[in-house]
């Protein structure tokens, strides 16, 4: 068992989401964690799947447009077990990453491999190397928030 210790399940639950930056090849990737299951320490379901995983990690981009789902100072907006895109309102299941509504319907967020051990969350994705907690300095694309065409309000 290896991996970089990111945070705790408790922190993700208390904050509602948690983000970090990692390196993949020559590019930096933004990743966010969101609560999924209610189990305190995750574990493995009877069928061998990780259905009991208490948090999930996703690349911080909507599949419809290059839009952040997690923003500094706001976090990831979640509602009824979904992460909601602030631009078009597409809702991605927090546990599966799939979307069945809005502009991103039929797509799935890119998952990042993590593991929960004794309440701590570890980055175990072989393609990513941890760089820092939080998002990199903003390049200006999301400073004022997205210009929304969604009927949803937050």
């Amino acid at each position: 068992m290896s991996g970089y210790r990111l945070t705790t399940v408790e922190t993700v639950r208390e904050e509602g989401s948690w983000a970090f930056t990692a390196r993949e090849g020559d590019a930096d990737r933004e990743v966010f964690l969101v609560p999924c299951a209610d189990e305190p320490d995750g574990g493995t379901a009877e069928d061998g799947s990780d259905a009991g995983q208490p948090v999930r990690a996703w690349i911080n981009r909507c599949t419809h447009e290059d839009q952040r789902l997690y923003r500094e100072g706001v976090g990831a907006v979640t509602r009824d077990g979904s992460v909601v895109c602030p631009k078009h309102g597409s809702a991605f299941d927090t546990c599966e990453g799939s979307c069945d509504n809005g502009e991103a319907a039929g797509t799935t967020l890119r998952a990042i491999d993590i593991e929960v051990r004794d309440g701590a969350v570890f980055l175990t994705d072989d393609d990513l190397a941890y760089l820092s907690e939080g998002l990199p300095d903003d390049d200006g694309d999301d400073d004022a928030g997205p210009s929304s065409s969604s009927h949803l309000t937050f």
Side-chain angles (χ1 to χ4, degrees):
M1 289 190 192
S2 62
Y4 185 88
R5 185 186 184 282
L6 298 168
T7 187
T8 64
V9 171
E10 180 180 357
T11 296
V12 176
R13 285 195 178 134
E14 286 177 0
E15 295 181 11
S17 55
W18 189 88
F20 67 97
T21 304
R23 175 63 52 104
E24 181 179 39
D26 293 334
D28 290 353
R29 301 287 184 227
E30 297 175 8
V31 180
F32 69 97
L33 305 173
V34 288
C36 179
D38 292 330
E39 291 78 13
D41 60 359
T44 305
E46 289 181 23
D47 67 359
S49 70
D50 64 353
Q53 186 82 352
V55 297
R56 293 285 198 269
W58 308 107
I59 290 289
N60 189 27
R61 293 292 180 205
C62 178
T63 56
H64 169 243
E65 275 186 22
D66 191 23
Q67 172 68 46
R68 284 180 167 147
L69 299 172
Y70 177 104
R71 295 184 311 152
E72 290 291 353
V74 177
V77 175
T78 58
R79 184 177 292 146
D80 299 326
S82 295
V83 175
V84 181
C85 176
K87 187 160 187 174
H88 291 109
S90 293
F92 298 88
D93 184 276
T94 57
C95 298
E96 302 299 323
S98 58
C99 179
D100 62 4
N101 75 321
E103 300 288 341
T107 66
T108 302
L109 295 175
R110 179 177 161 205
I112 299 302
D113 295 335
I114 58 170
E115 188 174 303
V116 174
R117 298 190 297 261
D118 297 323
V121 182
F122 291 84
L123 174 63
T124 57
D125 197 303
D126 292 336
D127 295 330
L128 295 176
Y130 177 85
L131 292 177
S132 63
E133 181 177 341
L135 304 182
D137 288 336
D138 195 353
D139 58 9
D141 65 343
D142 290 331
D143 272 344
S147 58
S148 178
S149 62
S150 170
H151 63 284
L152 298 176
T153 57
F154 300 104

